[in-house]
Amino acid sequence: MSNTQLADRLEAVAAELRAFPTPTDALRLLQGLSNAIDAEKVALVAEVDEHRDFEAEGCSSLKNWLRDQLHLDGADAARLKRSAKVLRDMPGLADLATAGAVSLDHVDAFGYAAKHIDPMVVEHSMDWMLRLAERAEPAQIRKAVKKLRDTAHPDDLDEAWLKGMDQHDIKVSAVGDGVAVTGFLPFDTGTKLKTLLQSLSAPTCAEDDRPVSIRRVTALDQLLSGILASGLPQDKGVRPHVTLTADLTQLADDVSTATAELAGFGTIGPAQLQQMLCDADLTPILTAGKHTVLDVGRTHRLATPTQRKAVVNRQGGTCAGPGCHGPVVHVHHVQYWSDGGTTDLANLVGLCPRCHAAVHQGFFTIDPHTHQTHPTLRTRRTSRRTRAG
């Protein structure tokens, strides 16, 4: 479209607007005109780039000129230049853009096709893509282009799948006032999670007006609670739990102002503490004085569930092995049971499986009074009799 043609079109649209059309007709007129103006801007950008007119005005590049003279940001400037190439290579699309039938968002979708799909496939598919562009929004065009690419280049899907394996991860970190969940899941795992959350977060009734964000978080809590209620194998029958350490004196004085330490997170306020105390199973763990309630001497070899909770709480849930940050899985006798050690709290320490094996192999020892670990220098192979820890 020449400058004269665009000027004529502007005058024609202005005349139609002065005729007081309905608001819907006016919007259609203005959108078509906006699309046509964008197409003309793209054509002019291509012309300025071809003749390097920006150099005559003291700019080193077209992008810099667009920023300086039209006050466009880098993304918009790059888009105009990118669209110029697409419209030059796709004359059918250029005709639609000049007529105002498609927007630059549509042009971007065709640009993706030109970049990622075999040119012969794009040329063969151009007719139906143009027909779709005249009546569909850009998102539908992008979806159709993505489908075309997947059909034309199925090997790319497998390559993306293999590359994605290196990114598979999930992290749960205490951040600010809550916990941040980040990660990258494979399609099958992510779809399973999404399906479960969609099912569990559906409104419970017509009056359920909770925001969808609240329903999703509640759904995840229900999912986790249902799994944890039956316990985990490595916890020896003890159901997984959250350790909450509170001052007994403070609780007795005024629970409405008491705070507590939530393991793995930090200090929580009185309102949250009261809620957690309301629907929790409580295991009192004395942090001062004699631990007679938790001591069973030689009556039992294995640590009791209550002792196990006390050990995990004392160590903050972390293995006592030197430099280890793994979870507590095994409860070990500092003085071996086979050497007369008692199943008392003072003689118990929590270890991960690897560190438990290491202490029995003599790689480190544990101080019976402080429970501090000390690496052992082993200069030769020694034959050790396996003893019950």
Side-chain angles (χ1 to χ4, degrees), residues 182-201:
T182 58
F184 182 85
L185 301 177
F187 290 116
D188 51 351
T189 305
T191 301
K192 291 173 186 176
L193 177 61
K194 184 177 181 179
T195 301
L196 280 172
L197 289 181
Q198 285 179 335
S199 176
L200 292 173
S201 64

Side-chain angles (χ1 to χ4, degrees), residues 70-350:
L70 303 189
H71 309 298
L72 301 179
D73 61 26
D76 288 336
R79 185 188 198 193
L80 287 174
K81 186 174 181 180
R82 181 174 65 246
S83 298
K85 182 179 186 306
V86 175
L87 294 182
R88 185 190 66 229
D89 295 340
M90 299 180 178
L93 181 63
D95 290 341
L96 290 180
T98 300
V102 297
S103 68
L104 292 189
D105 287 331
H106 292 87
V107 175
D108 276 343
F110 279 80
Y112 179 90
K115 183 177 180 180
H116 297 283
I117 304 176
D118 184 277
M120 294 296 293
V121 175
V122 175
E123 183 178 353
H124 180 73
S125 307
M126 185 58 68
D127 287 343
W128 68 259
M129 290 172 63
L130 292 175
R131 290 195 299 271
L132 181 62
E134 287 186 275
R135 57 182 173 80
E137 62 187 45
Q140 290 181 266
I141 304 299
R142 287 192 289 269
K143 185 176 180 180
V145 168
K146 178 67 165 59
K147 181 66 176 178
L148 179 62
R149 181 195 179 193
D150 293 344
T151 303
H153 306 287
D155 291 344
D156 290 350
L157 296 174
D158 286 337
E159 184 178 350
W161 172 57
L162 294 174
K163 288 182 178 179
M165 286 184 177
D166 296 333
Q167 303 177 53
H168 293 175
D169 188 19
I170 186 167
K171 296 179 181 178
V172 181
S173 311
V175 177
D177 298 327
V179 174
V181 181
T182 58
F184 182 85
L185 301 177
F187 290 116
D188 51 351
T189 305
T191 301
K192 291 173 186 176
L193 177 61
K194 184 177 181 179
T195 301
L196 280 172
L197 289 181
Q198 285 179 335
S199 176
L200 292 173
S201 64
T204 56
C205 59
E207 291 74 28
D208 188 355
D209 58 355
R210 295 174 300 161
V212 65
S213 57
I214 297 298
R215 287 190 274 114
R216 276 198 297 263
V217 173
T218 302
L220 180 60
D221 181 73
Q222 292 174 343
L223 178 63
L224 299 176
S225 297
I227 295 173
L228 296 178
S230 56
L232 299 176
Q234 65 265 36
D235 286 336
K236 308 298 182 183
V238 179
R239 289 192 305 167
H241 58 281
V242 174
T243 300
L244 187 68
T245 305
D247 186 282
L248 186 61
T249 303
Q250 190 180 14
L251 287 174
D253 290 343
D254 186 2
V255 70
S256 67
T257 61
T259 60
E261 291 294 319
L262 186 61
F265 177 72
T267 305
I268 62 172
Q272 186 175 0
L273 172 61
Q274 290 184 59
Q275 178 183 334
M276 296 188 72
L277 292 176
C278 181
D279 57 4
D281 294 331
L282 302 180
T283 301
I285 300 175
L286 301 178
T287 57
K290 296 182 178 180
H291 301 291
T292 53
V293 175
L294 297 176
D295 295 343
V296 295
R298 299 281 296 177
T299 305
H300 300 287
R301 183 177 73 83
L302 298 178
T304 66
T306 303
Q307 286 175 322
R308 182 180 181 82
K309 289 183 178 181
V311 169
V312 173
N313 176 75
R314 183 177 63 197
Q315 298 176 199
T318 303
C319 172
C324 183
H325 299 287
V328 172
V329 177
H330 299 160
V331 176
H332 168 76
H333 290 77
V334 178
Q335 181 185 0
Y336 289 174
W337 172 265
S338 56
D339 288 344
T342 59
T343 308
D344 295 341
L345 188 60
N347 192 46
L348 299 177
V349 66

